[in-house]
Amino acid sequence: MPSPQFLRLPAVKQDKVLSALFHEFTHYSLANAQVARIVKDAGIARGAFYNYFADLEDAYSYLFAHEMKEVHQPLWLNHKRQLSADDYLQQTTLFLKSVNRQKLRQLLIFHYQTNAGLLRQIKGGQRWLPPEKKATPRQWATKTLIHQAIREAILNPRAEEQILRKLKVVLNLLEGGA
């Protein structure tokens, strides 16, 4: 998490740092990222970077959580009622379109292929979404299935339609089950 010093920066400066982080982590995996490129792109001193973040992993964790919160925000609005299989499918499709529109695909590719594994080794893993209240087995299975389908669609975009069709079938099975 960023330091309180970072959070007190004017929004314009925070956005500039976030933009530099986004650029770095959509062009390089966490293993190949460099603070030098980030500070040059952000127009900040190297020392400022380390005043804002503990290290590259901390900066990546903050950026990833920030981006996932932004892209999930429209999806959280419907959680006041029980969602149907069609609702979940619609939200998954919307999420995938949003990822493409916001140019997040490369960030997610690096995350799935490399960065998530590195973070688990370094910090014991991360939780990107708000913690859930007690999920039923059906809710847990639905969430797990959707996230796996998203992962597969991000890593294999040519199979996205097929993945979404399979997702629809299984979500309908879950909806009809006990």
Side-chain angles (χ1 to χ4, degrees), residues 24-25 28-39 46 56:
E24 184 71 10
F25 292 120
Y28 302 94
S29 70
L30 185 54
N32 295 315
Q34 294 180 1
V35 172
R37 285 191 296 257
I38 294 168
V39 299
R46 188 177 185 89
L56 275 171

Side-chain angles (χ1 to χ4, degrees), residues 18-166:
L18 278 170
S19 177
L21 291 173
F22 187 84
H23 183 266
E24 184 71 10
F25 292 120
T26 56
H27 288 84
Y28 302 94
S29 70
L30 185 54
N32 295 315
Q34 294 180 1
V35 172
R37 285 191 296 257
I38 294 168
V39 299
K40 182 178 179 185
D41 195 22
I44 61 172
R46 188 177 185 89
F49 175 87
Y50 288 106
N51 282 331
Y52 302 154
F53 305 101
D55 51 28
L56 275 171
E57 293 83 9
D58 188 39
Y60 174 80
S61 294
Y62 177 69
L63 172 72
F64 194 85
H66 178 269
E67 295 299 326
M68 290 302 98
K69 181 180 177 188
E70 291 293 313
V71 78
H72 279 86
Q73 197 64 41
L75 307 178
W76 291 335
L77 300 176
N78 292 326
H79 280 252
K80 293 182 177 162
R81 64 176 176 80
Q82 178 66 33
L83 300 179
S84 70
D86 287 339
D87 292 332
Y88 282 120
L89 188 63
Q90 182 182 17
Q91 286 189 351
T92 304
T93 303
L94 176 66
F95 178 86
L96 288 168
K97 286 180 183 174
S98 194
V99 163
N100 289 330
R101 190 171 46 254
Q102 296 180 29
K103 300 178 182 171
L104 290 175
R105 182 175 290 278
Q106 190 58 47
L107 183 69
L108 287 170
I109 289 170
F110 280 138
H111 182 75
Y112 291 134
Q113 290 179 338
T114 307
N115 297 343
L118 290 173
L119 286 172
R120 278 189 216 106
Q121 291 174 355
I122 296 166
K123 296 185 178 183
Q126 299 290 326
R127 182 174 185 91
W128 308 113
L129 300 176
E132 293 182 27
K133 295 186 172 89
K134 300 202 183 223
T136 66
R138 185 184 304 163
Q139 290 167 332
W140 174 84
T142 299
K143 177 183 169 189
T144 301
L145 176 66
I146 289 170
H147 282 100
Q148 182 61 29
I150 288 170
R151 181 183 190 281
E152 290 179 21
I154 293 293
L155 294 176
N156 189 4
R158 287 186 278 168
E160 183 176 313
E161 284 184 38
Q162 179 184 7
I163 292 164
L164 289 172
R165 281 194 303 273
K166 288 179 182 179

